[in-house]
């Protein structure tokens, strides 16, 4: 059994290290929805899209919205399939079609019915709507972690849903007891 097959980061947060080199992930916090020998899939939880609110997205896909949720931002979930939607939410919601349960505290739904439910006020109590996702091929994420690209921390609803976007990176680091000023983007060997 390889090291990669033993590591399962599903339900964890990836916290970008300084100097990662990819501006799309600068100071990002990624919720890992799935991780296996075949690769990993995650959603960036702290990068709202600069030009899209939920109401605009719902208008584009012709879903009438009577909920105050229409003023919430849509997030940049990652650079892969940026026109595809995902909703990361708490465990209180299960789609009529398909919801991926991630541990006991999270669910991820990528079917339109969750947006229809949000639009009428019947959606999940806590949710982030995303366009796009972050994806890694087999062993790629493990390699990035080994090269000091990411720290990992258990995901909590407080960090994911209860913290402002600009504070999530710091809160995730604080959960590890790390002061960001002491971080280095350089990997070391003992």
């Amino acid at each position: 059994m390889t090291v990669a097959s033993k590591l399962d980061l599903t339900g964890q947060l990836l916290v970008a290290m300084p100097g990662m080199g990819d501006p799309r992930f600068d100071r990002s916090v990624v919720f890992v929805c799935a991780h296996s020998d075949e690769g990993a899939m995650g959603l960036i939880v702290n990068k709202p899209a600069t030009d899209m609110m939920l109401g605009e997205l719902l208008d584009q896909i012709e879903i009438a919205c009577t909920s105050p949720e229409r003023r919430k931002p849509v997030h940049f979930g990652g650079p892969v399939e940026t026109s595809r939607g995902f909703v990361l939410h708490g465990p209180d919601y299960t789609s009529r079609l398909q919801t991926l349960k991630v541990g006991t505290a999270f669910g991820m739904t990528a079917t339109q019915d969750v947006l229809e439910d949000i639009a009428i006020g019947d959606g999940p109590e806590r949710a982030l709507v995303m366009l796009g996702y972050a994806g890694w091929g087999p062993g790629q994420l493990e390699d990035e972690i080994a090269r000091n690209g990411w720290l990992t921390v258990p995901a909590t609803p407080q960090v994911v849903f209860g913290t402002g976007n600009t504070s999530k990176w710091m809160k995730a680091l604080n959960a590890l007891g790390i002061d960001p000023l002491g971080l280095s983007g350089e990997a070391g060997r003992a």
Side-chain angles (χ1 to χ4, degrees):
M1 185 176 272
T2 66
V3 173
S5 64
K6 292 180 185 178
L7 184 63
D8 183 1
L9 297 173
T10 303
Q12 298 284 309
L13 293 175
L14 302 175
V15 183
M17 289 288 288
M20 172 176 274
D22 187 336
R24 299 171 298 180
F25 292 102
D26 183 47
R27 294 177 62 103
S28 66
V29 178
V30 180
F31 180 85
V32 180
C33 298
H35 183 222
S36 70
D37 289 342
E38 285 91 45
M41 181 268 184
L43 298 167
I44 300 173
V45 298
N46 66 328
K47 303 238 180 198
T50 56
D51 59 350
M52 175 83 58
M53 300 301 274
L54 181 57
E56 295 168 76
L57 175 65
L58 294 174
D59 290 345
Q60 287 179 12
I61 57 176
E62 299 179 353
I63 296 176
C65 182
T66 57
S67 166
E69 300 288 313
R70 75 176 290 109
R71 291 186 297 280
K72 286 194 169 184
V74 171
H75 283 71
F76 170 70
V80 181
E81 293 189 54
T82 56
S83 61
R84 186 169 175 201
F86 301 87
V87 179
L88 181 63
H89 53 81
D92 62 313
Y93 179 85
T94 301
S95 164
R96 297 176 297 280
L97 301 174
Q98 185 175 8
T99 292
L100 173 66
K101 294 292 183 186
V102 186
T104 59
F106 298 94
M108 191 273 293
T109 303
T111 52
Q112 186 169 316
D113 62 325
V114 68
L115 295 175
E116 293 166 349
D117 289 343
I118 289 171
I120 61 171
D122 287 340
E125 183 180 323
R126 299 166 107 181
L128 297 175
V129 177
M130 322 269 186
L131 288 175
Y133 67 94
W136 294 266
Q140 183 182 1
L141 179 57
E142 293 83 354
D143 183 56
E144 289 181 15
I145 291 169
R147 286 185 290 118
N148 205 33
W150 301 100
L151 293 174
T152 61
V153 61
T156 65
Q158 176 57 33
V159 171
V160 173
F161 301 118
T163 302
N165 290 313
T166 58
S167 301
K168 288 179 185 180
W169 187 75
M170 183 77 73
K171 290 276 189 192
L173 288 174
N174 289 342
L176 291 170
I178 294 175
D179 178 356
L181 295 175
L183 288 178
S184 169
E186 302 297 317
R189 300 262 191 261

